Each structure stands twice: as structure tokens, then as C-alpha cells.
């Protein structure tokens, strides 16, 4: 009988600082806990019923007597707190060295190499920034001068924004290919084309975004599943994160709500692994330090959770986790080095879930998926269910 597992990543929903948080300047961070403290009407009854409040280190959320899911938390073994590092560890890749970020902007050698190799008259920006904000700030100057807007974020990414009426898409993509050869050897994980249209103050990013991603350096559990004939579906930015490797299908999402809709639709028409990233928590509310918006997004997901579980067949797995933290009450706009939650639903199980403790690595998810689908996989420790 074909099996199905659904893995949902609540992007950046951390549950408390890791022991090495001081190395990252993140002492005291607690994304979920601080949101619960800051927002008086915050409540996630459906996640609580699964066992969210039973997870160690979340005193802000009340536990339940008989959680319906297995519950625990995971520590990140790899060094870093970015999207790629977390997602790579899920599927069995634990780099020895972290990707490099440039919170103060890219160094002169990188910018000069980019200017020389592309022939652009210079660049605008060159700092860590919100994409929508920096386009609003520098879009008019870009149109006037033709200089591309270059910026980064908390992730190890080199982003290039350009107006589609000023820079043809083919040119923008070529610039990204040139930038890729410059920055990937210097520790970046992605180059992203960020085209936009419109007039000030109504600039709008378009769907012509394109990611140039450093591929996983070795085989992943996704590759192993696919080779075994198991269908693997990525929803949201999953395809970009893995450089489109190990995935049978990729579906782009426009929001958390759309990502959930696509996930439920896929549960209805396919087996195998359905792997979803819900990015709004991180992109719209964590980086922008908006606890209210973050809380509303979490409660919206909580309201959708019963529909996800209802769509599953008996014997299916639902795994809910996160890839890092991004505490919206913490100083700065960076990710935070935190534990992540782990909730595993076995559809049809009537006994209460059991505690999973603190897992030593995110790679335990990949090991568990491999065992569930009957595929040999050596990285991580299989989580014992049942």
C-alpha cells in the first residue's frame, strides 16, 4: 500500500534559545514564547491539543493531559540559523562550515567584481534590507541611473532588484548568473532576481523572481525517496531551497493560506511526501518585528489545522516543525538561534501521543521519513512512533 507523509515547516517559529545562542548574539530569544507573552488574545487551541504546550521550554502555552500528537523539540546540529542550513539538515546534510552572511553589506571586492563583470554603472543599496522597503527607497534612483539595487538579508543571499521596463528580464537573469559565480565561492547559498514594475510610490514585485541556488553537495533523503519511486512534492519555496533536486513536483505558493490550500489539495490527489514551507511567519512578520502580525498568522494556521488533519487517510503522517527562530520582539531584524518544535500526528491513532524529548539534530526528520517509506537512510536517528 502506498504511504503518505506531510511535512510542514512553519518558517522561523522557534521555541527558545539553543545552548550556543550566545555565539550568535541571540541569548534570551524565544519566538513563540515571546509572541504569546506580547499578544493578550494569542491562542492556538488546535496546536495545543496536539501537544504544543507539552513541549519542553514553552511555559507560555498550557499543556494538555492527553496530547493527540507525539511532541518534542529539535536542536540544530549545523552551525547557522538560516533557511538553507535548517532545511538541508532536515534531509541529511549537515555542513561543517556555515554559510556566510553580510549584515553590513557586501565587501568591496564582491561589489567591484560584480560591476566589472556585468558592466553596470554601479549599484544602489548594498545593505541588509526588506525587499519591498528598499525598492520603495531606491526605485526612483534606479530608474534614473540604471544602477541595479543590490541587497541581502539575514539569509546568505545576494539579491538584485531591477525594474522590468529598465532592465529586461534576460539581462537581470544574466547578472544573477554572473553574481552566482562571484558570491557562491564566498559562502553565499543563493542569488535571487527580484524584478518589479510600476511607478513610485506603487512599485510592485512581480512573479518573475528567479532563484539561483547552490545545490545540496551530496545526496539527500529526497533523492533517495525519489529514486525508490516515491513521489516527492515541494510546496512554497522548497524547490528553490534544494535547487530543484529530489523533487518530483514543485508548486509555488503566494501566501501561507495558499500554501495550506495547496497542501490540502495535494493530500487529496497524491501519495508520497508532501513537503510545505509556510514563509509568511518569517518574511512578513519576523524580519519586520511585528508580533501582532506574527500572532495573527499563527492563529490563522491553527484554524486551518483541523482541515489538514481531516484530509489525511488513516496511517498517514503529519510532521509540523520549523527551520530556525525569528523572534519579533528581539533587537535587530535577523533570525534567532533556537530550538524548533516537533509535532508528529499518526492519523487514526487513538492513544495519546508520547514525548519525543529534545532531538540532537533536525536530521531525525529525514531518518524518520526514510524509515516510514521503507528506504535506507543513514543520517539522523529514526524517531520511534507507535
Amino acid at each position: 500500500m502506498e504511504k503518505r507523509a506531510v511535512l510542514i515547516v512553519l518558517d522561523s517559529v522557534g521555541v527558545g534559545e539553543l545552548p550556543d545562542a550566545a555565539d550568535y548574539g541571540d541569548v534570551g530569544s524565544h519566538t513563540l514564547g515571546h509572541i504569546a507573552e506580547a499578544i493578550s488574545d494569542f491562542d492556538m487551541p488546535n496546536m495545543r491539543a496536539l501537544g504544543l504546550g507539552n513541549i519542553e521550554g514553552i511555559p507560555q502555552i498550557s499543556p494538555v493531559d492527553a496530547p493527540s500528537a507525539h511532541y518534542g523539540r529539535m536542536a540544530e546540529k549545523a552551525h547557522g540559523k538560516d533557511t538553507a542550513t535548517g532545511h538541508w539538515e532536515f534531509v541529511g546534510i549537515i555542513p561543517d562550515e556555515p554559510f556566510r552572511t553580510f549584515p553590513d553589506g557586501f565587501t568591496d571586492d564582491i561589489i567591484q567584481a560584480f560591476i566589472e563583470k556585468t558592466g553596470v554603472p554601479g549599484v544602489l543599496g548594498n545593505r541588509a534590507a526588506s525587499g519591498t522597503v528598499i525598492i520603495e527607497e531606491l526605485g526612483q534612483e534606479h530608474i534614473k541611473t540604471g544602477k541595479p539595487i543590490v541587497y541581502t538579508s539575514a539569509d546568505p543571499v545576494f539579491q538584485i532588484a531591477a525594474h522590468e521596463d529598465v532592465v529586461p528580464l534576460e539581462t537581470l537573469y544574466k547578472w544573477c548568473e554572473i553574481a552566482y559565480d562571484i558570491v557562491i565561492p564566498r559562502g553565499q547559498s543563493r542569488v535571487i532576481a527580484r524584478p518589479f514594475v510600476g511607478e513610485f510610490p506603487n512599485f510592485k514585485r512581480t512573479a518573475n523572481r528567479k532563484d539561483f541556488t547552490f545545490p545540496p553537495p551530496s545526496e539527500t533523503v529526497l533523492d533517495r525517496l525519489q529514486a525508490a519511486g516515491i513521489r516527492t512534492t515541494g510546496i512554497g519555496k522548497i524547490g528553490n531551497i534544494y535547487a530543484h533536486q529530489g523533487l518530483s513536483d514543485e508548486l509555488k505558493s503566494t501566501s501561507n493560506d495558499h500554501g495550506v490550500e495547496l497542501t490540502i489539495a495535494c493530500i487529496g490527489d497524491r501519495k508520497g511526501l508532501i513537503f510545505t514551507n509556510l514563509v509568511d511567519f518569517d518574511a512578513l512578520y519576523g524580519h519586520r518585528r511585528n508580533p501582532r502580525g506574527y500572532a495573527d498568522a499563527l492563529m490563522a494556521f491553527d484554524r486551518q489545522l483541523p482541515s489538514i488533519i481531516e484530509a489525511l487517510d488513516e496511517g498517514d503522517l503529519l510532521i509540523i516543525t520549523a527551520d530556525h527562530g525569528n523572534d519579533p520582539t528581539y533587537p535587530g531584524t535577523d533570525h534567532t538561534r533556537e530550538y524548533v518544535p516537533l509535532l508528529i500526528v499518526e492519523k487514526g491513532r487513538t492513544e495519546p501521543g508520547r514525548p519525543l524529548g529534545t532531538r540532537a539534530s533536525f536530521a531525525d526528520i529525514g531518518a524518520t521519513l526514510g524509515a516510514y517509506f521503507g528506504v535506507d537512510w543513514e543520517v539522523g536517528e529514526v524517531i520511534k512512533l507507535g
Side-chain angles (χ1 to χ4, degrees):
M1 184 180 70
E2 286 188 275
K3 291 185 172 183
R4 176 168 47 222
V6 179
L7 171 56
I8 299 178
V9 178
L10 309 180
D11 201 306
S12 85
V13 183
V15 291
E17 65 175 63
L18 281 168
D20 62 357
D23 296 340
Y24 298 82
D26 293 333
V27 172
S29 58
H30 197 312
T31 300
L32 184 61
H34 288 161
I35 290 169
E37 290 173 347
I39 306 301
S40 61
D41 62 341
F42 182 71
D43 188 23
M44 299 185 75
N46 296 308
M47 288 283 280
R48 280 188 61 242
L50 295 188
L52 182 64
N54 295 70
I55 296 173
E56 180 182 353
I58 317 179
Q60 302 89 344
I61 296 177
S62 301
V64 294
D65 292 335
S68 57
H70 308 298
Y71 58 90
R73 63 181 183 177
M74 299 190 296
E76 187 166 15
K77 189 173 183 179
H79 300 291
K81 52 179 180 176
D82 59 273
T83 297
T85 300
H87 280 75
W88 279 13
E89 190 163 326
F90 290 147
V91 298
I93 295 178
I94 305 174
D96 293 329
E97 296 293 330
F99 288 113
R100 185 181 178 190
T101 57
F102 291 84
D104 299 319
F106 297 103
T107 53
D108 289 343
D109 64 313
I110 291 175
I111 294 300
Q112 287 306 311
F114 177 74
I115 291 172
E116 290 172 8
K117 293 179 182 296
T118 58
V120 299
V123 304
L124 303 174
N126 188 26
R127 63 177 184 268
S130 158
T132 53
V133 171
I134 202 167
I135 288 170
E136 182 177 353
E137 292 177 351
L138 299 176
Q140 288 175 292
E141 187 176 354
H142 158 69
I143 292 171
K144 185 183 302 182
T145 64
K147 296 178 181 179
I149 301 169
V150 170
Y151 65 104
T152 187
S153 71
D155 276 349
V157 294
F158 186 98
Q159 305 189 72
I160 309 172
H163 197 289
E164 291 190 4
D165 291 342
V166 176
V167 178
L169 288 174
E170 294 77 11
T171 301
L172 176 58
Y173 296 158
K174 181 62 177 177
W175 289 350
C176 288
E177 292 172 357
I178 292 170
Y180 183 96
D181 291 337
I182 297 169
V183 302
I184 295 300
R186 290 170 168 84
Q188 296 280 274
S189 66
R190 276 184 296 165
V191 176
I192 307 176
R194 292 286 197 174
F196 64 99
V197 295
E199 298 179 358
F200 179 82
N202 298 311
F203 293 130
K204 182 179 180 180
R205 296 198 293 195
T206 75
N208 293 318
R209 163 184 170 158
K210 187 172 182 180
D211 291 55
F212 300 76
T213 305
F214 180 60
S218 58
E219 185 184 28
T220 72
V221 73
L222 298 176
D223 299 315
R224 193 70 64 88
L225 291 172
Q226 193 178 39
I230 296 163
R231 188 173 185 178
T232 55
T233 301
I235 298 175
K237 64 179 184 178
I238 295 300
N240 290 333
I241 293 169
Y242 297 111
H244 315 289
Q245 294 186 12
L247 295 168
S248 309
D249 307 287
E250 296 180 30
L251 301 173
K252 301 295 185 182
S253 62
T254 57
S255 66
N256 278 2
D257 289 346
H258 187 217
V260 171
E261 291 172 9
L262 290 172
T263 301
I264 293 173
C266 286
I267 293 171
D269 72 8
R270 70 194 65 193
K271 294 288 188 175
L273 175 63
I274 301 167
F275 189 175
T276 300
N277 176 286
L278 301 179
V279 74
D280 288 357
F281 305 115
D282 185 53
L284 299 184
Y285 309 114
H287 287 305
R288 299 184 188 184
R289 294 302 186 249
N290 181 352
R292 177 76 259 178
Y294 208 135
D296 288 342
L298 284 168
M299 291 189 288
F301 173 77
D302 190 76
R303 290 190 295 270
Q304 295 164 325
L305 183 58
S307 296
I308 299 171
I309 295 174
E310 176 65 27
L312 299 170
D313 293 334
E314 287 204 8
D316 288 353
L317 281 190
L318 170 63
I319 304 174
I320 301 173
T321 189
D323 53 344
H324 51 72
N326 198 346
D327 187 339
T329 72
Y330 207 73
T333 60
D334 199 355
H335 295 156
T336 41
R337 175 82 170 172
E338 300 184 45
Y339 290 105
V340 299
L342 178 62
L343 295 166
I344 303 180
V345 175
E346 292 183 272
K347 183 66 181 287
R349 177 188 172 94
T350 57
E351 300 86 357
R354 68 179 190 85
L356 302 175
T358 297
R359 315 300 301 190
S361 170
F362 294 2
D364 290 1
I365 284 182
T368 303
L369 290 172
Y372 176 74
F373 285 109
V375 171
D376 288 335
W377 186 246
E378 302 78 24
V379 185
E381 180 182 348
V382 175
I383 301 169
K384 295 179 181 178
L385 306 176

